[in-house]
Amino acid sequence: MNYISTRDDKVKVSSCEAIAEGISADGGLFVPESIPEISLEEISALAEKTYAERAEYILGLFLTDFTEDELKACVKGAYSTGFSDEKIAPVVNLPGGRNILELFKGPTCAFKDMALQILPHLLTVAGRKAAPGTEIVILVATSGDTGKAALEGFRDVPGTKILVFYPSEGVSPMQKLQMCTQEGNNVAVCAIRGNFDDAQTGVKRIFTDKAIGEKLRLAGKAFSSANSINWGRLAPQIVYYFSAYCDLIGQGNIKPGDKVNIVVPTGNFGNILAAYYAGEMGLPVAKFICASNRNSVLTEFLTTGVYDRNREFYTTISPSMDILISSNLERLLYTLAGSEKVKEWMGLLAKEGRYEVDPETLGKIKEKFAAGCCDDEATKATIAKVFKEDGYLCDTHTAVAVTVYEEYRKSTGDLTPAIIASTASPFKFSASVLEAVTGEKSGLDEFEMVNELSRVTGKACPPQLAGLKEKAVRFDRCCEKAEMDAVVFEMLNI
Ligand SMILES: *Cc1c(COP(=O)(O)O)cnc(C)c1O
């Protein structure tokens, strides 16, 4: 299967090239030329299989220039260790047709692990085929979660190195500790004096600097990117929606062919887009429900057809969804309206920060998508309510989805069983979750809060978070923006 650019369908590459290159030279994103279909018989057969087997099967439909053995090895490398639940992405049933798909059982306790545990393996195979003998160097600028998940994914993966820059004043104490104590022989972490934008701008500049690129090439290395527009991150996310559906069959909650709704707490639109692709492949889905926090740009877009980023940016208690430009939306627009229109709209977005889709495209969107948003108060109220009524503790991002879903059910009367994506462990956002459960701010430090949350709720903190306090700090360097090049060279010994 070939991949084409969302902004020019004459650009055609293999799946290895799509993954190795990350983004198309015309600024577009790579999308599969056609969507492979999966029958109900195949879904029923997958219901008898393990997560790894489901992953091999579904990825095989998209990554056609990987051999079966290569895919098997990638899947094994990703999901055979590092996940605390043997089901990898277990489904927890709550009353009212709510089925929580827990995507946070990986090493960093956030859903980014689902893709970032396998991406390094896909990338090394793709790199071996697209540019044999080259060492892949991953540079990441992070505001927190992605950096840690990428470090864990790439650690000790042969043929790769990873270097993460984070803003010295822009990550939570827990996130900082997670990164600074990172283990592995091919990893490095460096703070930079500045904010996230400074880190991001610096990384982008290094990526595109011709002289630095040449220096790497001479040393047999090349930069690559692990960010969420890489097809190698999206494809693995399709798997868990099939897996959840299979588990619902196994649990006796649905029969093969029954429709489900899928609810996703959304930021960059990657996770919900993966669900949409699953639906296009044949997973029986009625509605995709896009949940946002107070940054409601997507709610507005999916209900009115107007995308307008010229609005206030809010910092919320669900920070991984604090986003005004959802890059992966471009892939949905391509599927619905084609590359000419995408090019026009993305041009407008870059120039004016706003575009409006035509009525036909909006009609197609509304057929498949519902959307809603909620603020921090409603998010906290949901955490408290779900814990009290159902004994289930959810994190702030998941709570946004649960809130929006409740509202959806009330306003539509649609009682179709729902798969609700749960994207982080509640212990990753202890301060807000503890406040929601107890009704007051605690005044404790990060680790005391983790313990207190565990005590108050009777839930165990994942050991990889609880154990951080005892781990040795390996990376304590903080550099100026201007020193970033030197840090890169130093790490790479070039
Ligand atoms: C990244 C992230 C999201 C948003 O996912 P997208 O694919 O960007 O829409 C939601 N919740 C958590 C915890 C995340 O880390």
Side-chain angles (χ1 to χ4, degrees), residues 110-112 145 237 265-271 320-321 397 423-424 429:
F111 108 97
K112 305 278 188 298
D145 280 354
Q237 296 181 221
T266 299
N268 215 2
F269 210 76
N271 201 1
S320 301
M321 295 153 68
H397 303 77
T423 50
F429 299 92

Side-chain angles (χ1 to χ4, degrees), residues 257-316:
D258 286 353
K259 296 245 182 200
V260 295
N261 286 331
I262 294 181
V263 192
V264 185
T266 299
N268 215 2
F269 210 76
N271 201 1
I272 194 166
L273 182 75
Y276 174 78
Y277 280 132
E280 291 296 289
M281 292 170 73
L283 191 71
V285 183
K287 283 274 182 197
F288 303 91
I289 301 167
C290 175
S292 301
N293 61 28
R294 199 176 168 204
N295 295 294
S296 58
V297 64
L298 282 168
T299 310
E300 182 176 297
F301 174 70
L302 296 170
T303 50
T304 69
V306 175
Y307 196 101
D308 191 352
R309 66 151 300 180
N310 305 310
R311 60 175 68 221
E312 198 173 332
F313 175 84
Y314 298 108
T315 302
T316 73

Side-chain angles (χ1 to χ4, degrees), residues 145 171-178 319 425-434 442-454 461 464-469:
D145 280 354
V171 301
S172 76
M174 179 73 93
Q175 289 172 322
K176 185 170 172 171
L177 251 187
Q178 273 192 310
S425 159
F427 287 92
K428 233 183 151 165
F429 299 92
S430 295
S432 304
V433 175
L434 182 61
S442 71
L444 302 171
D445 81 17
E446 191 88 7
F447 286 101
E448 290 165 346
M449 275 188 294
V450 164
N451 292 336
E452 183 64 3
L453 182 60
S454 186
C461 176
Q464 61 270 49
L465 294 181
L468 271 180
K469 205 176 173 179

Side-chain angles (χ1 to χ4, degrees), residues 111-169:
F111 108 97
K112 305 278 188 298
D113 289 331
M114 295 303 301
L116 279 166
Q117 280 294 301
I118 190 166
L119 177 71
H121 302 284
L122 298 175
L123 204 50
T124 45
V125 174
R128 202 154 64 219
K129 295 188 180 197
T134 307
E135 184 180 62
I136 295 168
V137 179
I138 301 290
L139 278 192
V140 182
T142 186
S143 54
D145 280 354
T146 302
K148 175 62 185 178
L151 285 163
E152 273 300 323
F154 281 91
R155 94 185 234 196
D156 294 328
V157 172
T160 71
K161 283 211 160 66
I162 175 162
L163 174 54
V164 171
F165 289 102
Y166 70 92
S168 58
E169 302 305 326

